[in-house]
Amino acid sequence: MVEMTQYLLARPHQLIPLTTFAQRYGAAKSSISEDLGIIKEVFEEEGTGELQTLAGAAGGVRYIPKMGKEQALDFVDRLCVKLSEPERILPGGYLYMSDLLGLPGFMQEAGKLFATAFAGKDIDCVMTVETKGIPLAYATGAELNLPVVLVRRDHQVTEGSAVSINYVSGSHKSLHTMTLSRRALKEKSKVLIVDDFMKAGGTIQGMVDLLAEFNATVAGVGVLVESGEVESGQRLLQDYISLATLTAVDAKEKEISVAPGNYFS
Amino acid sequence: MVEMTQYLLARPHQLIPLTTFAQRYGAAKSSISEDLGIIKEVFEEEGTGELQTLAGAAGGVRYIPKMGKEQALDFVDRLCVKLSEPERILPGGYLYMSDLLGLPGFMQEAGKLFATAFAGKDIDCVMTVETKGIPLAYATGAELNLPVVLVRRDHQVTEGSAVSINYVSGSHKSLHTMTLSRRALKEKSKVLIVDDFMKAGGTIQGMVDLLAEFNATVAGVGVLVESGEVESGQRLLQDYISLATLTAVDAKEKEISVAPGNYFS
């Protein structure tokens, strides 16, 4: 049972035929099924996730990581508390977040939350643009068992032929370039876009435009923190999930206000 | 037992007092100890890792992820086979690896291997320079329960005050800059450096030089792939672990030769 638990946990969103377990442990399928029933119960109780069982010859069991409500609220509470620390304020009203983004365990929780939010969607890969969104994209990809596609700012020799587009960063109103290797994304892919921060949404809109060049489509957009200081008319993007909202940064008074994101409302 | 297994797996390198389990399950410490004994046996048999038990009032149990020899050899076999695919050759003899680096599960295996190699070392954090080494650094940090510190190429407004150094990239003999936020690294930290590729080692030497600016020290260096086409006199770095060695890239004949890295010799 210990071994089945760890086997399942290491393989999220993968269909495992019961015969795999039966062969590994030399046990009858009926006793495997019984054990899976117990594991399923514990996973559901603890808010670890779901165990889906599919009957029939092509059937088996699939572990779907899902963060329970209680854990999700606990996570977002910790996120908001940490983001509100006044020493995060940088010149220009920017917020230092690299320490949080540097905690693999914290990113795994955020990734699991995105995996919960987008579990029902048909997705081929997770995409982000370098650099700060990368840990979040990998954490999400790990929980969904999906590859991660990295958009670069510059064209690199190690990426082969690539498609470049220009985009307007909403917050700076300045023009930037982003580049994606031709090999990195299959035509017609369904893509989940993930990033660490969104203000007006110019960078994410850039990724959406880049996807069009690959005949690919957006399956969803998830951001860790969104800026609430954007008027809704200015927002380039309407359909997205945020885990936290930065409602105000007062550099003078050294005060930061953070609230749970739209995922929780 | 299912719950204890997943609790431990989710908390590598963390000391968990037995009272935590006793309270969670309302069970006696003696029966907790018995269950831990079974879990320990399964983890060792399956090459998942070790369970260290510390006696005494400050004692408890700690899960140390370790990849067994068999799994390590299986991983490096798959790595070598994939890296040898001729369609990876890019103009200039470069190798396309972004697809492999984009597989979270594959990176987790590599990270676990690094965590195995450096399990006994006293390390405060894992460091890499953007971009391609990032997934590897996070995977390693996750298994070692350590934060990840990201060196940037340019100074970003979102990083606060930063230290910049110039370094010579060995393979191009060209001068580059790398930058690390002052807040990102505590003085005197012991740092594990991780990267996806090393030729002469100029980039990694740059990180070593950057560490000196923070009075920090190198606890180890791990690279996924090293180029074997460097004469040993040219190599700037002697003490490192590599998982695979690229022995030859023949762009004309479209042939790539890859062998297991120095970790396996």
Side-chain angles (χ1 to χ4, degrees):
Chain A
M1 201 120 92
V2 172
E3 221 279 302
M4 271 167 82
T5 304
Q6 68 148 4
Y7 193 92
L8 288 162
L9 287 173
R11 288 162 186 79
H13 282 274
Q14 282 179 47
L15 187 68
I16 300 155
L18 292 197
T19 46
T20 304
F21 290 124
Q23 280 165 4
R24 278 177 84 91
Y25 314 127
K29 276 197 194 180
S30 59
S31 73
I32 298 286
S33 288
E34 243 173 67
D35 286 355
L36 286 173
I38 298 171
I39 296 175
K40 183 186 168 84
E41 233 172 79
V42 176
F43 278 13
E44 280 168 10
E45 249 170 55
E46 299 292 325
T48 309
E50 293 172 10
L51 273 200
Q52 284 182 352
T53 36
L54 278 94
V61 62
R62 186 186 277 138
Y63 161 54
I64 314 281
K66 287 218 174 154
M67 192 180 260
K69 250 191 191 163
E70 215 175 295
Q71 284 161 294
L73 288 170
D74 174 64
F75 170 79
V76 78
D77 271 355
R78 280 178 284 133
L79 178 62
C80 289
V81 167
K82 289 203 177 180
L83 286 175
S84 313
E85 293 161 357
E87 57 272 22
R88 297 196 174 276
I89 300 178
L90 294 172
Y94 291 98
L95 218 62
Y96 184 76
M97 307 205 308
S98 298
D99 58 330
L100 294 180
L101 300 173
L103 300 171
F106 202 63
M107 288 298 100
Q108 279 171 359
E109 288 184 90
K112 193 166 180 185
L113 204 39
F114 280 136
T116 306
F118 297 107
K121 301 257 181 180
D122 184 15
I123 309 174
D124 296 312
C125 61
V126 181
M127 178 191 257
T128 194
V129 63
E130 60 181 339
T131 303
K132 298 220 300 296
I134 298 178
L136 211 56
Y138 273 86
T140 308
E143 299 286 345
L144 289 170
N145 186 33
L146 291 174
V148 176
V149 172
L150 265 191
V151 179
R152 308 293 297 254
R153 304 275 180 189
D154 305 306
H155 184 202
Q156 304 289 330
V157 287
T158 51
E159 298 291 327
S161 64
V163 178
S164 291
I165 62 153
N166 293 312
Y167 69 98
V168 180
S169 165
S171 28
H172 309 87
K173 292 270 176 218
S174 52
L175 203 66
H176 298 274
T177 305
M178 56 170 80
T179 294
L180 182 59
S181 168
R182 272 252 164 254
R183 300 169 183 234
L185 191 67
K186 284 202 193 86
E187 292 258 315
K188 294 184 184 167
S189 292
K190 294 175 278 291
V191 180
L192 172 61
I193 295 175
V194 163
D195 212 351
D196 61 311
F197 192 78
M198 181 176 85
K199 205 163 178 180
T203 305
I204 289 173
Q205 186 59 47
M207 284 191 263
V208 173
D209 294 343
L210 195 52
L211 286 182
E213 296 289 328
F214 286 79
N215 289 318
T217 50
V218 184
V221 174
V223 296
L224 185 69
V225 184
E226 67 165 313
S227 168
E229 288 178 313
V230 183
E231 288 166 46
S232 60
Q234 273 191 296
R235 179 100 55 208
L236 296 168
L237 215 76
Q238 304 308 327
D239 197 11
Y240 62 91
I241 280 175
S242 68
L243 302 188
T245 306
L246 196 63
T247 48
V249 178
D250 187 334
K252 244 191 200 162
E253 301 291 328
K254 294 249 170 218
E255 270 178 19
I256 305 169
S257 312
V258 190
N262 67 14
Y263 179 64
F264 297 93
S265 61
Chain B
M1 200 122 89
V2 171
E3 222 278 303
M4 273 167 80
T5 303
Q6 69 147 4
Y7 193 92
L8 287 163
L9 286 174
R11 287 162 186 80
H13 283 271
Q14 284 180 47
L15 187 68
I16 301 155
L18 292 197
T19 45
T20 304
F21 289 125
Q23 279 164 5
R24 277 178 84 89
Y25 315 127
K29 274 198 196 179
S30 59
S31 73
I32 298 286
S33 288
E34 240 173 71
D35 285 355
L36 285 173
I38 298 171
I39 295 175
K40 183 186 169 82
E41 231 171 82
V42 175
F43 278 13
E44 280 169 8
E45 247 170 57
E46 299 292 325
T48 308
E50 292 171 10
L51 272 200
Q52 283 181 353
T53 37
L54 279 93
V61 61
R62 187 186 277 137
Y63 161 53
I64 314 281
K66 287 216 173 154
M67 193 181 261
K69 248 192 191 164
E70 213 176 296
Q71 284 160 296
L73 289 170
D74 173 64
F75 170 77
V76 77
D77 272 353
R78 278 179 286 132
L79 178 62
C80 290
V81 167
K82 288 202 178 179
L83 286 175
S84 314
E85 292 161 358
E87 55 272 23
R88 297 196 174 276
I89 300 177
L90 295 171
Y94 291 98
L95 216 63
Y96 183 76
M97 308 205 306
S98 298
D99 57 330
L100 294 180
L101 299 173
L103 299 172
F106 201 62
M107 289 297 99
Q108 279 170 359
E109 287 184 88
K112 192 165 180 186
L113 204 39
F114 281 135
T116 306
F118 297 106
K121 302 256 181 178
D122 185 14
I123 309 173
D124 296 313
C125 62
V126 181
M127 178 192 259
T128 194
V129 61
E130 58 182 342
T131 302
K132 299 220 300 295
I134 298 177
L136 212 54
Y138 273 86
T140 308
E143 299 285 346
L144 289 170
N145 188 31
L146 293 174
V148 176
V149 172
L150 264 191
V151 179
R152 308 292 299 253
R153 305 275 179 187
D154 305 306
H155 184 203
Q156 304 288 331
V157 288
T158 51
E159 299 290 326
S161 66
V163 178
S164 290
I165 61 154
N166 294 313
Y167 69 99
V168 180
S169 165
S171 30
H172 308 87
K173 292 272 176 216
S174 53
L175 203 67
H176 298 276
T177 306
M178 55 170 81
T179 295
L180 182 59
S181 168
R182 272 250 164 256
R183 301 169 181 234
L185 191 65
K186 283 201 194 91
E187 290 258 317
K188 294 184 184 166
S189 292
K190 295 175 278 294
V191 180
L192 173 62
I193 296 175
V194 162
D195 212 351
D196 62 312
F197 192 78
M198 180 175 85
K199 206 164 177 177
T203 306
I204 289 172
Q205 187 57 48
M207 284 191 262
V208 173
D209 295 344
L210 194 53
L211 286 182
E213 298 287 329
F214 285 80
N215 289 319
T217 50
V218 185
V221 175
V223 295
L224 185 69
V225 184
E226 68 165 314
S227 167
E229 289 177 313
V230 183
E231 288 167 48
S232 59
Q234 272 191 297
R235 179 100 54 207
L236 297 168
L237 215 78
Q238 305 306 328
D239 198 11
Y240 63 90
I241 280 176
S242 67
L243 302 188
T245 307
L246 197 62
T247 48
V249 177
D250 187 334
K252 243 189 200 165
E253 300 293 326
K254 295 252 170 214
E255 270 179 18
I256 306 168
S257 311
V258 190
N262 67 16
Y263 179 65
F264 297 93
S265 60

